[in-house]
Amino acid sequence: MRKAPNGQQPIRERLHAVFGGTRTAMGSPSQGESMKKAQERDQGFALIELMIVVAVIGVLASIALPQYRIYISRAQVTRVMSEVGALRTAVETCVVEGRTSVGAGNLQCDPGATGSSLMIVPAANGAAPTLGELPAGTGVPAVTFPATGDQTAVMTATFGNSAATVLAGQTLTWQRSTTGNWTCLSSVPATYKSSQCL
């Protein structure tokens, strides 16, 4: 090995000591060293890094899933409220004309309800006169016309079929008072109630 004047190391050896590895004449890493460093970078994630990612996803899921269920249940309550509320005009006409029994006859009230996947078929007074023709897995609200009391018409939907489990068996009711005002009442838990239906 040749010594530089004044007892110093040649420039190439000094560069090697400072930067490490074999250097080309321009001081850049050799091809072999570049490949070795690229392989070191491409080793992938360590197990602890993957475990941290899984833990973070688990925490986010534990927060998001209950909120999603609440959102879905509220949306279903709002949907049933709208579906039953849409029948108010037809039922109002029946009350005004004195047709106070549900059916398809001339002197009967036909609210014209179509099947909803969030309701069950009522035992009696279904809002669709041909309950047997409803699609499978659907239901309609029950419509009654009380002869006494403050209500002249009551439409009651019972949650079921595809409704959320927390809503199954709960009811949502639109009532018409003797003064012609409609109000919405519901037995669903307060967390899922609509602000328009108490």
PDB file of all heavy atoms in Angstrom, residues 126-162:
ATOM      1  N   GLY A 126    -104.863  -5.050   8.959  1.00  0.00           N
ATOM      2  CA  GLY A 126    -103.666  -4.670   8.215  1.00  0.00           C
ATOM      3  C   GLY A 126    -103.962  -3.579   7.206  1.00  0.00           C
ATOM      4  O   GLY A 126    -105.049  -3.520   6.638  1.00  0.00           O
ATOM      5  N   ALA A 127    -103.002  -2.702   6.999  1.00  0.00           N
ATOM      6  CA  ALA A 127    -103.201  -1.559   6.103  1.00  0.00           C
ATOM      7  C   ALA A 127    -103.254  -1.951   4.636  1.00  0.00           C
ATOM      8  O   ALA A 127    -103.543  -1.130   3.781  1.00  0.00           O
ATOM      9  CB  ALA A 127    -102.094  -0.534   6.325  1.00  0.00           C
ATOM     10  N   ALA A 128    -102.963  -3.205   4.333  1.00  0.00           N
ATOM     11  CA  ALA A 128    -103.116  -3.708   2.968  1.00  0.00           C
ATOM     12  C   ALA A 128    -104.217  -4.756   3.014  1.00  0.00           C
ATOM     13  O   ALA A 128    -104.091  -5.756   3.715  1.00  0.00           O
ATOM     14  CB  ALA A 128    -101.814  -4.325   2.471  1.00  0.00           C
ATOM     15  N   PRO A 129    -105.334  -4.552   2.325  1.00  0.00           N
ATOM     16  CA  PRO A 129    -106.466  -5.480   2.416  1.00  0.00           C
ATOM     17  C   PRO A 129    -106.121  -6.905   2.004  1.00  0.00           C
ATOM     18  O   PRO A 129    -106.696  -7.849   2.510  1.00  0.00           O
ATOM     19  CB  PRO A 129    -107.501  -4.881   1.467  1.00  0.00           C
ATOM     20  CG  PRO A 129    -107.073  -3.485   1.210  1.00  0.00           C
ATOM     21  CD  PRO A 129    -105.602  -3.436   1.447  1.00  0.00           C
ATOM     22  N   THR A 130    -105.179  -7.057   1.080  1.00  0.00           N
ATOM     23  CA  THR A 130    -104.813  -8.399   0.608  1.00  0.00           C
ATOM     24  C   THR A 130    -103.492  -8.806   1.250  1.00  0.00           C
ATOM     25  O   THR A 130    -102.451  -8.862   0.596  1.00  0.00           O
ATOM     26  CB  THR A 130    -104.692  -8.402  -0.924  1.00  0.00           C
ATOM     27  OG1 THR A 130    -103.814  -7.344  -1.316  1.00  0.00           O
ATOM     28  CG2 THR A 130    -106.041  -8.209  -1.585  1.00  0.00           C
ATOM     29  N   LEU A 131    -103.527  -9.064   2.551  1.00  0.00           N
ATOM     30  CA  LEU A 131    -102.302  -9.406   3.286  1.00  0.00           C
ATOM     31  C   LEU A 131    -101.648 -10.670   2.743  1.00  0.00           C
ATOM     32  O   LEU A 131    -100.433 -10.815   2.798  1.00  0.00           O
ATOM     33  CB  LEU A 131    -102.616  -9.583   4.778  1.00  0.00           C
ATOM     34  CG  LEU A 131    -103.065  -8.326   5.521  1.00  0.00           C
ATOM     35  CD1 LEU A 131    -103.422  -8.655   6.959  1.00  0.00           C
ATOM     36  CD2 LEU A 131    -101.985  -7.267   5.474  1.00  0.00           C
ATOM     37  N   GLY A 132    -102.430 -11.574   2.205  1.00  0.00           N
ATOM     38  CA  GLY A 132    -101.879 -12.807   1.663  1.00  0.00           C
ATOM     39  C   GLY A 132    -101.007 -12.578   0.447  1.00  0.00           C
ATOM     40  O   GLY A 132    -100.202 -13.434   0.082  1.00  0.00           O
ATOM     41  N   GLU A 133    -101.171 -11.445  -0.212  1.00  0.00           N
ATOM     42  CA  GLU A 133    -100.391 -11.159  -1.415  1.00  0.00           C
ATOM     43  C   GLU A 133     -99.119 -10.360  -1.137  1.00  0.00           C
ATOM     44  O   GLU A 133     -98.383 -10.012  -2.049  1.00  0.00           O
ATOM     45  CB  GLU A 133    -101.265 -10.396  -2.421  1.00  0.00           C
ATOM     46  CG  GLU A 133    -102.434 -11.217  -2.922  1.00  0.00           C
ATOM     47  CD  GLU A 133    -103.329 -10.418  -3.862  1.00  0.00           C
ATOM     48  OE1 GLU A 133    -102.944  -9.312  -4.278  1.00  0.00           O
ATOM     49  OE2 GLU A 133    -104.428 -10.913  -4.170  1.00  0.00           O
ATOM     50  N   LEU A 134     -98.866 -10.054   0.122  1.00  0.00           N
ATOM     51  CA  LEU A 134     -97.633  -9.327   0.460  1.00  0.00           C
ATOM     52  C   LEU A 134     -96.420 -10.213   0.186  1.00  0.00           C
ATOM     53  O   LEU A 134     -96.468 -11.431   0.390  1.00  0.00           O
ATOM     54  CB  LEU A 134     -97.633  -8.933   1.942  1.00  0.00           C
ATOM     55  CG  LEU A 134     -98.569  -7.805   2.354  1.00  0.00           C
ATOM     56  CD1 LEU A 134     -98.549  -7.648   3.876  1.00  0.00           C
ATOM     57  CD2 LEU A 134     -98.154  -6.503   1.695  1.00  0.00           C
ATOM     58  N   PRO A 135     -95.314  -9.627  -0.253  1.00  0.00           N
ATOM     59  CA  PRO A 135     -94.097 -10.424  -0.456  1.00  0.00           C
ATOM     60  C   PRO A 135     -93.649 -11.070   0.854  1.00  0.00           C
ATOM     61  O   PRO A 135     -93.862 -10.514   1.939  1.00  0.00           O
ATOM     62  CB  PRO A 135     -93.072  -9.386  -0.934  1.00  0.00           C
ATOM     63  CG  PRO A 135     -93.881  -8.241  -1.447  1.00  0.00           C
ATOM     64  CD  PRO A 135     -95.141  -8.228  -0.638  1.00  0.00           C
ATOM     65  N   ALA A 136     -93.037 -12.222   0.746  1.00  0.00           N
ATOM     66  CA  ALA A 136     -92.552 -12.923   1.945  1.00  0.00           C
ATOM     67  C   ALA A 136     -91.547 -12.052   2.692  1.00  0.00           C
ATOM     68  O   ALA A 136     -90.754 -11.334   2.087  1.00  0.00           O
ATOM     69  CB  ALA A 136     -91.902 -14.239   1.534  1.00  0.00           C
ATOM     70  N   GLY A 137     -91.605 -12.112   4.010  1.00  0.00           N
ATOM     71  CA  GLY A 137     -90.656 -11.353   4.832  1.00  0.00           C
ATOM     72  C   GLY A 137     -90.986  -9.882   4.946  1.00  0.00           C
ATOM     73  O   GLY A 137     -90.125  -9.082   5.305  1.00  0.00           O
ATOM     74  N   THR A 138     -92.227  -9.503   4.635  1.00  0.00           N
ATOM     75  CA  THR A 138     -92.633  -8.101   4.757  1.00  0.00           C
ATOM     76  C   THR A 138     -93.884  -7.997   5.606  1.00  0.00           C
ATOM     77  O   THR A 138     -94.581  -8.990   5.840  1.00  0.00           O
ATOM     78  CB  THR A 138     -92.906  -7.454   3.385  1.00  0.00           C
ATOM     79  OG1 THR A 138     -94.017  -8.101   2.768  1.00  0.00           O
ATOM     80  CG2 THR A 138     -91.699  -7.548   2.473  1.00  0.00           C
ATOM     81  N   GLY A 139     -94.167  -6.789   6.052  1.00  0.00           N
ATOM     82  CA  GLY A 139     -95.359  -6.547   6.847  1.00  0.00           C
ATOM     83  C   GLY A 139     -95.892  -5.149   6.611  1.00  0.00           C
ATOM     84  O   GLY A 139     -95.282  -4.359   5.884  1.00  0.00           O
ATOM     85  N   VAL A 140     -97.029  -4.852   7.211  1.00  0.00           N
ATOM     86  CA  VAL A 140     -97.671  -3.540   7.091  1.00  0.00           C
ATOM     87  C   VAL A 140     -98.167  -3.128   8.484  1.00  0.00           C
ATOM     88  O   VAL A 140     -98.297  -3.972   9.372  1.00  0.00           O
ATOM     89  CB  VAL A 140     -98.860  -3.566   6.100  1.00  0.00           C
ATOM     90  CG1 VAL A 140     -98.376  -3.799   4.680  1.00  0.00           C
ATOM     91  CG2 VAL A 140     -99.883  -4.611   6.511  1.00  0.00           C
ATOM     92  N   PRO A 141     -98.461  -1.846   8.666  1.00  0.00           N
ATOM     93  CA  PRO A 141     -99.011  -1.438   9.964  1.00  0.00           C
ATOM     94  C   PRO A 141    -100.475  -1.844  10.101  1.00  0.00           C
ATOM     95  O   PRO A 141    -101.162  -2.066   9.110  1.00  0.00           O
ATOM     96  CB  PRO A 141     -98.862   0.085   9.941  1.00  0.00           C
ATOM     97  CG  PRO A 141     -98.832   0.455   8.498  1.00  0.00           C
ATOM     98  CD  PRO A 141     -98.204  -0.701   7.787  1.00  0.00           C
ATOM     99  N   ALA A 142    -100.920  -1.940  11.333  1.00  0.00           N
ATOM    100  CA  ALA A 142    -102.340  -2.158  11.613  1.00  0.00           C
ATOM    101  C   ALA A 142    -103.012  -0.799  11.678  1.00  0.00           C
ATOM    102  O   ALA A 142    -102.454   0.161  12.201  1.00  0.00           O
ATOM    103  CB  ALA A 142    -102.504  -2.897  12.936  1.00  0.00           C
ATOM    104  N   VAL A 143    -104.230  -0.704  11.106  1.00  0.00           N
ATOM    105  CA  VAL A 143    -104.992   0.550  11.111  1.00  0.00           C
ATOM    106  C   VAL A 143    -106.312   0.305  11.819  1.00  0.00           C
ATOM    107  O   VAL A 143    -107.060  -0.615  11.467  1.00  0.00           O
ATOM    108  CB  VAL A 143    -105.241   1.066   9.675  1.00  0.00           C
ATOM    109  CG1 VAL A 143    -106.054   2.347   9.709  1.00  0.00           C
ATOM    110  CG2 VAL A 143    -103.930   1.281   8.942  1.00  0.00           C
ATOM    111  N   THR A 144    -106.574   1.104  12.839  1.00  0.00           N
ATOM    112  CA  THR A 144    -107.844   0.991  13.565  1.00  0.00           C
ATOM    113  C   THR A 144    -108.492   2.368  13.671  1.00  0.00           C
ATOM    114  O   THR A 144    -107.805   3.399  13.575  1.00  0.00           O
ATOM    115  CB  THR A 144    -107.632   0.413  14.988  1.00  0.00           C
ATOM    116  OG1 THR A 144    -106.689   1.230  15.690  1.00  0.00           O
ATOM    117  CG2 THR A 144    -107.128  -1.013  14.931  1.00  0.00           C
ATOM    118  N   PHE A 145    -109.807   2.351  13.864  1.00  0.00           N
ATOM    119  CA  PHE A 145    -110.584   3.584  14.001  1.00  0.00           C
ATOM    120  C   PHE A 145    -111.377   3.478  15.304  1.00  0.00           C
ATOM    121  O   PHE A 145    -112.526   3.011  15.293  1.00  0.00           O
ATOM    122  CB  PHE A 145    -111.524   3.770  12.799  1.00  0.00           C
ATOM    123  CG  PHE A 145    -110.798   3.838  11.484  1.00  0.00           C
ATOM    124  CD1 PHE A 145    -110.585   2.691  10.724  1.00  0.00           C
ATOM    125  CD2 PHE A 145    -110.325   5.051  11.009  1.00  0.00           C
ATOM    126  CE1 PHE A 145    -109.914   2.758   9.509  1.00  0.00           C
ATOM    127  CE2 PHE A 145    -109.651   5.132   9.792  1.00  0.00           C
ATOM    128  CZ  PHE A 145    -109.448   3.982   9.048  1.00  0.00           C
ATOM    129  N   PRO A 146    -110.808   3.895  16.424  1.00  0.00           N
ATOM    130  CA  PRO A 146    -111.495   3.758  17.719  1.00  0.00           C
ATOM    131  C   PRO A 146    -112.823   4.517  17.728  1.00  0.00           C
ATOM    132  O   PRO A 146    -112.904   5.659  17.261  1.00  0.00           O
ATOM    133  CB  PRO A 146    -110.517   4.379  18.723  1.00  0.00           C
ATOM    134  CG  PRO A 146    -109.175   4.333  18.030  1.00  0.00           C
ATOM    135  CD  PRO A 146    -109.462   4.481  16.575  1.00  0.00           C
ATOM    136  N   ALA A 147    -113.844   3.870  18.264  1.00  0.00           N
ATOM    137  CA  ALA A 147    -115.170   4.502  18.328  1.00  0.00           C
ATOM    138  C   ALA A 147    -115.255   5.496  19.473  1.00  0.00           C
ATOM    139  O   ALA A 147    -116.072   6.420  19.441  1.00  0.00           O
ATOM    140  CB  ALA A 147    -116.247   3.432  18.489  1.00  0.00           C
ATOM    141  N   THR A 148    -114.424   5.309  20.480  1.00  0.00           N
ATOM    142  CA  THR A 148    -114.426   6.222  21.626  1.00  0.00           C
ATOM    143  C   THR A 148    -113.013   6.706  21.906  1.00  0.00           C
ATOM    144  O   THR A 148    -112.039   6.136  21.424  1.00  0.00           O
ATOM    145  CB  THR A 148    -114.961   5.512  22.886  1.00  0.00           C
ATOM    146  OG1 THR A 148    -114.130   4.388  23.170  1.00  0.00           O
ATOM    147  CG2 THR A 148    -116.402   5.056  22.696  1.00  0.00           C
ATOM    148  N   GLY A 149    -112.905   7.764  22.672  1.00  0.00           N
ATOM    149  CA  GLY A 149    -111.596   8.282  23.057  1.00  0.00           C
ATOM    150  C   GLY A 149    -111.183   9.473  22.218  1.00  0.00           C
ATOM    151  O   GLY A 149    -111.949   9.967  21.373  1.00  0.00           O
ATOM    152  N   ASP A 150    -109.990   9.931  22.448  1.00  0.00           N
ATOM    153  CA  ASP A 150    -109.482  11.131  21.778  1.00  0.00           C
ATOM    154  C   ASP A 150    -108.930  10.864  20.384  1.00  0.00           C
ATOM    155  O   ASP A 150    -108.651  11.801  19.644  1.00  0.00           O
ATOM    156  CB  ASP A 150    -108.385  11.780  22.625  1.00  0.00           C
ATOM    157  CG  ASP A 150    -108.920  12.290  23.956  1.00  0.00           C
ATOM    158  OD1 ASP A 150    -110.121  12.618  24.009  1.00  0.00           O
ATOM    159  OD2 ASP A 150    -108.136  12.341  24.920  1.00  0.00           O
ATOM    160  N   GLN A 151    -108.734   9.596  20.037  1.00  0.00           N
ATOM    161  CA  GLN A 151    -108.138   9.263  18.742  1.00  0.00           C
ATOM    162  C   GLN A 151    -109.208   8.751  17.783  1.00  0.00           C
ATOM    163  O   GLN A 151    -110.009   7.902  18.154  1.00  0.00           O
ATOM    164  CB  GLN A 151    -107.032   8.202  18.912  1.00  0.00           C
ATOM    165  CG  GLN A 151    -105.999   8.524  19.986  1.00  0.00           C
ATOM    166  CD  GLN A 151    -105.318   9.854  19.782  1.00  0.00           C
ATOM    167  OE1 GLN A 151    -105.069  10.266  18.655  1.00  0.00           O
ATOM    168  NE2 GLN A 151    -105.012  10.549  20.863  1.00  0.00           N
ATOM    169  N   THR A 152    -109.186   9.269  16.559  1.00  0.00           N
ATOM    170  CA  THR A 152    -110.148   8.796  15.557  1.00  0.00           C
ATOM    171  C   THR A 152    -109.519   7.803  14.593  1.00  0.00           C
ATOM    172  O   THR A 152    -110.224   7.086  13.897  1.00  0.00           O
ATOM    173  CB  THR A 152    -110.712   9.978  14.745  1.00  0.00           C
ATOM    174  OG1 THR A 152    -109.632  10.710  14.174  1.00  0.00           O
ATOM    175  CG2 THR A 152    -111.542  10.891  15.636  1.00  0.00           C
ATOM    176  N   ALA A 153    -108.181   7.759  14.543  1.00  0.00           N
ATOM    177  CA  ALA A 153    -107.488   6.780  13.700  1.00  0.00           C
ATOM    178  C   ALA A 153    -106.130   6.488  14.319  1.00  0.00           C
ATOM    179  O   ALA A 153    -105.448   7.392  14.811  1.00  0.00           O
ATOM    180  CB  ALA A 153    -107.317   7.309  12.283  1.00  0.00           C
ATOM    181  N   VAL A 154    -105.742   5.219  14.292  1.00  0.00           N
ATOM    182  CA  VAL A 154    -104.456   4.798  14.862  1.00  0.00           C
ATOM    183  C   VAL A 154    -103.788   3.832  13.885  1.00  0.00           C
ATOM    184  O   VAL A 154    -104.399   2.843  13.467  1.00  0.00           O
ATOM    185  CB  VAL A 154    -104.642   4.111  16.238  1.00  0.00           C
ATOM    186  CG1 VAL A 154    -103.301   3.649  16.784  1.00  0.00           C
ATOM    187  CG2 VAL A 154    -105.337   5.035  17.217  1.00  0.00           C
ATOM    188  N   MET A 155    -102.563   4.141  13.499  1.00  0.00           N
ATOM    189  CA  MET A 155    -101.769   3.240  12.640  1.00  0.00           C
ATOM    190  C   MET A 155    -100.558   2.771  13.445  1.00  0.00           C
ATOM    191  O   MET A 155     -99.744   3.591  13.873  1.00  0.00           O
ATOM    192  CB  MET A 155    -101.288   3.977  11.378  1.00  0.00           C
ATOM    193  CG  MET A 155    -102.407   4.510  10.514  1.00  0.00           C
ATOM    194  SD  MET A 155    -101.800   5.277   8.983  1.00  0.00           S
ATOM    195  CE  MET A 155    -100.912   6.691   9.606  1.00  0.00           C
ATOM    196  N   THR A 156    -100.445   1.464  13.644  1.00  0.00           N
ATOM    197  CA  THR A 156     -99.383   0.910  14.489  1.00  0.00           C
ATOM    198  C   THR A 156     -98.538  -0.085  13.706  1.00  0.00           C
ATOM    199  O   THR A 156     -99.056  -1.074  13.189  1.00  0.00           O
ATOM    200  CB  THR A 156     -99.971   0.217  15.734  1.00  0.00           C
ATOM    201  OG1 THR A 156    -100.793   1.154  16.430  1.00  0.00           O
ATOM    202  CG2 THR A 156     -98.870  -0.275  16.650  1.00  0.00           C
ATOM    203  N   ALA A 157     -97.232   0.198  13.637  1.00  0.00           N
ATOM    204  CA  ALA A 157     -96.284  -0.720  12.994  1.00  0.00           C
ATOM    205  C   ALA A 157     -95.495  -1.440  14.071  1.00  0.00           C
ATOM    206  O   ALA A 157     -95.042  -0.820  15.038  1.00  0.00           O
ATOM    207  CB  ALA A 157     -95.344   0.058  12.081  1.00  0.00           C
ATOM    208  N   THR A 158     -95.339  -2.747  13.903  1.00  0.00           N
ATOM    209  CA  THR A 158     -94.520  -3.535  14.824  1.00  0.00           C
ATOM    210  C   THR A 158     -93.249  -3.954  14.097  1.00  0.00           C
ATOM    211  O   THR A 158     -93.301  -4.542  13.021  1.00  0.00           O
ATOM    212  CB  THR A 158     -95.291  -4.783  15.308  1.00  0.00           C
ATOM    213  OG1 THR A 158     -96.523  -4.363  15.906  1.00  0.00           O
ATOM    214  CG2 THR A 158     -94.477  -5.562  16.321  1.00  0.00           C
ATOM    215  N   PHE A 159     -92.102  -3.640  14.690  1.00  0.00           N
ATOM    216  CA  PHE A 159     -90.822  -3.950  14.063  1.00  0.00           C
ATOM    217  C   PHE A 159     -90.579  -5.455  14.069  1.00  0.00           C
ATOM    218  O   PHE A 159     -90.882  -6.144  15.039  1.00  0.00           O
ATOM    219  CB  PHE A 159     -89.670  -3.251  14.807  1.00  0.00           C
ATOM    220  CG  PHE A 159     -89.617  -1.769  14.598  1.00  0.00           C
ATOM    221  CD1 PHE A 159     -90.296  -0.907  15.439  1.00  0.00           C
ATOM    222  CD2 PHE A 159     -88.884  -1.238  13.551  1.00  0.00           C
ATOM    223  CE1 PHE A 159     -90.249   0.462  15.250  1.00  0.00           C
ATOM    224  CE2 PHE A 159     -88.829   0.134  13.347  1.00  0.00           C
ATOM    225  CZ  PHE A 159     -89.511   0.984  14.201  1.00  0.00           C
ATOM    226  N   GLY A 160     -90.014  -5.932  12.974  1.00  0.00           N
ATOM    227  CA  GLY A 160     -89.692  -7.355  12.856  1.00  0.00           C
ATOM    228  C   GLY A 160     -89.042  -7.631  11.520  1.00  0.00           C
ATOM    229  O   GLY A 160     -88.586  -6.707  10.835  1.00  0.00           O
ATOM    230  N   ASN A 161     -88.990  -8.895  11.138  1.00  0.00           N
ATOM    231  CA  ASN A 161     -88.346  -9.340   9.893  1.00  0.00           C
ATOM    232  C   ASN A 161     -86.888  -8.872   9.834  1.00  0.00           C
ATOM    233  O   ASN A 161     -86.082  -9.335  10.616  1.00  0.00           O
ATOM    234  CB  ASN A 161     -89.145  -8.901   8.674  1.00  0.00           C
ATOM    235  CG  ASN A 161     -90.410  -9.720   8.514  1.00  0.00           C
ATOM    236  OD1 ASN A 161     -90.403 -10.923   8.724  1.00  0.00           O
ATOM    237  ND2 ASN A 161     -91.515  -9.071   8.162  1.00  0.00           N
ATOM    238  N   SER A 162     -86.550  -7.906   8.974  1.00  0.00           N
ATOM    239  CA  SER A 162     -85.156  -7.479   8.812  1.00  0.00           C
ATOM    240  C   SER A 162     -84.748  -6.349   9.753  1.00  0.00           C
ATOM    241  O   SER A 162     -83.638  -5.835   9.647  1.00  0.00           O
ATOM    242  CB  SER A 162     -84.922  -7.015   7.369  1.00  0.00           C
ATOM    243  OG  SER A 162     -85.159  -8.069   6.469  1.00  0.00           O
TER     244      SER A 162
END
